[in-house]
Amino acid sequence: MQLKMFGDQKRVDFVDKAVWALKFLSDEEYRNFVTQFQNCLFENVYGMEASEENKVKVYGKEFIGWMKPEVADDSMWEDADDLSSGSVPVKGNRELMEEFEEAANGGVQSLALGALDNSFLVNDLGVQVYRNFNRGIHGKGICVKFDAGGSRIGGSPSSSTPKKALLMRAERNMMLMSPENEGKPNATGLKQVDIETGKIVTEWKFEKDGADITMRDITNDTKGSQLDPSESTFLGLDDNRLCQWDMRDRKGVVQNIATSGSPVLHWSQGHQFSRGTNFQCFASTGDGSIVVGSLDGKIRLYSKTSMRQAKTAFPGLGSPITHVDVTYDGKWVLGTTDTYLVLICTLFTDKDGKTKTGFSGRMGNKIPAPRLLKLTPLDSHLAGNNNKFHGGHFSWVN
């Protein structure tokens, strides 16, 4: 996926222990190579010959534009506005880079983007606080550190370093989820932390029909619900589950964690899918629609009214989706893989000529082809073998 093509120069660049440039003498040679390379890549990824029939089988008739960008309707991309204006804090690029490298010492686990003053970066050492500006997050603030080995935060035991942080209740509380077993992201519960004091308020346990279950990821009901001071529900995702959790005790009794076991979250609604969906990550829009990324690279769009059937399922491009984000209006989806980002425009025009998103209707066969965002072969080589993309986000937009 790191090969880069330069059609005007009849050249391709790639990485193999070093950076190489392959130059062709004619347009025909260049086009033949690119065609053969793409066919081989298809066969390697999907395990079948790159015939037209097999491509339709993999991508579906609706997504013909994904394998033939020249027939895709890219008018949606042309209408995209440049919203990059706004004041920028005066800070040198080098200083900012050093700041992030220092904060990431020990490995970035999660980024919780705030809509108010601060955002929070979770790594092996603790929770770093950053100040929000129009063009990104800048400035070093408070750091709530874990004790040695990442075993404690706020004085309460934890099985391991938190892998996921979620802001709630007007961004005064943070949910921290730690994996139950080392090497696996799935967790059996989470901790509710008061951001101002850094102390754990409650420890919650995931349970359904009296049995303990796990969750791989959590997110807010809607893109803006983290600003609601009384918000008591959030969404959960496991390999084959998509559900909503409710923190309110149905009996109206507040449980005291000092004298009892962890309170149990109430399974509010959701769906258990047949095995094989292999969900990895998800995010919500402003109206509560949900986008889910999978191990096979598929990105599914669910409307706010149903968790059972995806309105749209974008075919995978070969790499597992490790993180996914969506804009407030649901028009843009950003999927992260280890080596590239995939940017998708969900807009399409229905048979009545109305513009909709893939969350609300089934997309036709003329849709915008995705954009793959990746490092140049040189930058990829300089980054080294073990440097992976992690958690691509849109800026917080209301």
Side-chain angles (χ1 to χ4, degrees):
M1 295 303 299
Q2 295 304 311
L3 181 138
K4 188 171 178 64
M5 304 170 189
F6 301 90
D8 56 336
Q9 302 176 45
K10 300 187 289 291
R11 185 183 110 216
V12 297
D13 290 0
F14 62 95
V15 179
D16 179 24
K17 300 179 183 176
V19 183
W20 302 81
L22 184 60
K23 178 84 172 177
F24 297 90
L25 299 178
S26 68
D27 284 334
E28 185 180 5
E29 284 183 325
Y30 171 79
R31 287 196 299 270
N32 286 341
F33 172 83
V34 168
T35 300
Q36 288 187 47
F37 173 81
Q38 290 175 332
N39 287 342
C40 290
L41 185 63
F42 182 92
E43 189 170 335
N44 284 347
V45 170
Y46 302 109
M48 59 181 76
E49 186 182 349
S51 65
E52 291 298 312
E53 182 183 356
N54 286 338
K55 288 179 180 179
V56 171
K57 187 185 299 183
V58 169
Y59 295 120
K61 291 181 180 179
E62 289 186 349
F63 295 95
I64 200 74
W66 287 55
M67 64 176 178
K68 292 184 177 179
E70 65 275 7
V71 303
D73 178 10
D74 278 352
S75 60
M76 300 300 183
W77 290 95
E78 296 164 6
D79 295 336
D81 295 325
D82 181 8
L83 301 176
S84 60
S85 59
S87 60
V88 185
V90 178
K91 180 185 286 286
N93 287 339
R94 184 66 195 165
E95 181 185 350
L96 185 62
M97 181 65 69
E98 289 173 351
E99 206 169 272
F100 272 96
E101 286 177 349
E102 181 180 337
N105 183 27
V108 174
Q109 303 297 342
S110 179
L111 174 64
L113 279 179
L116 301 177
D117 293 335
N118 300 313
S119 290
F120 303 86
L121 183 74
V122 179
N123 64 10
D124 292 349
L125 303 178
V127 180
Q128 310 278 342
V129 184
Y130 284 85
R131 187 163 182 80
N132 291 330
F133 288 95
N134 288 348
R135 294 285 294 274
I137 57 175
H138 298 265
K140 202 162 42 180
I142 307 164
C143 175
V144 180
K145 289 189 177 294
F146 304 121
D147 286 350
S151 59
R152 292 172 179 267
I153 179 171
S156 181
S158 170
S159 57
S160 64
T161 301
K163 302 292 186 191
K164 176 71 179 183
L166 181 69
L167 292 172
M168 288 192 71
R169 297 191 169 171
E171 301 186 358
R172 293 197 298 266
N173 280 194
M174 179 186 290
M175 296 295 192
L176 289 174
M177 194 168 74
S178 302
E180 183 68 14
N181 299 312
E182 202 62 39
K184 292 188 175 182
N186 309 68
T188 56
L190 47 76
K191 294 172 172 58
Q192 182 180 347
V193 179
D194 184 294
I195 290 175
E196 292 184 358
T197 64
K199 293 184 178 180
I200 292 175
V201 178
T202 313
E203 295 186 45
W204 299 99
K205 186 167 68 173
F206 298 123
E207 186 178 290
K208 183 180 185 292
D209 301 330
D212 292 342
I213 63 173
T214 61
M215 288 284 110
R216 173 183 282 270
D217 199 3
I218 53 174
T219 196
N220 298 104
D221 288 347
T222 70
K223 197 84 167 177
S225 60
Q226 66 193 59
L227 297 174
D228 185 349
S230 61
E231 181 68 23
S232 297
T233 60
F234 59 93
L235 301 172
L237 183 85
D238 205 23
D239 295 9
N240 301 297
R241 294 188 186 99
L242 180 58
C243 64
Q244 183 185 54
W245 294 104
D246 195 333
M247 297 158 59
R248 293 166 294 195
D249 190 289
R250 281 175 291 174
K251 300 176 182 177
V253 178
V254 177
Q255 299 185 51
N256 185 350
I257 62 172
T259 58
S260 67
S262 297
V264 174
L265 287 164
H266 169 48
W267 174 290
S268 177
Q269 60 171 316
H271 185 63
Q272 175 87 33
F273 294 84
S274 59
R275 294 189 180 275
T277 52
N278 290 318
F279 294 148
Q280 299 287 297
C281 49
F282 69 150
S284 57
T285 67
D287 70 357
S289 299
I290 305 168
V291 54
V292 182
S294 302
L295 186 65
D296 60 3
K298 284 186 178 179
I299 294 178
R300 296 175 172 88
L301 308 184
Y302 293 85
S303 72
K304 59 182 178 181
T305 57
S306 175
M307 292 184 181
R308 290 179 174 272
Q309 182 69 40
K311 285 286 187 181
T312 302
F314 295 103
L317 295 172
S319 300
I321 303 296
T322 58
H323 186 274
V324 72
D325 197 16
V326 61
T327 53
Y328 192 93
D329 57 16
K331 294 179 181 178
W332 304 93
V333 169
L334 182 68
T336 303
T337 74
D338 287 348
T339 55
Y340 62 89
L341 307 178
V342 55
L343 181 63
I344 298 171
C345 176
T346 69
L347 294 175
F348 73 101
T349 304
D350 68 8
K351 59 183 179 181
D352 298 324
K354 295 180 180 178
T355 300
K356 295 182 177 179
T357 71
F359 291 98
S360 59
R362 298 190 64 83
M363 305 180 77
N365 59 1
K366 285 217 164 186
I367 62 170
R371 296 291 191 266
L372 294 190
L373 312 178
K374 51 189 178 181
L375 297 178
T376 64
L378 177 59
D379 287 335
S380 177
H381 175 65
L382 293 175
N385 294 329
N386 297 320
N387 281 278
K388 301 176 180 178
F389 285 138
H390 182 98
H393 284 268
F394 290 110
S395 56
W396 209 99
V397 179
N398 59 13

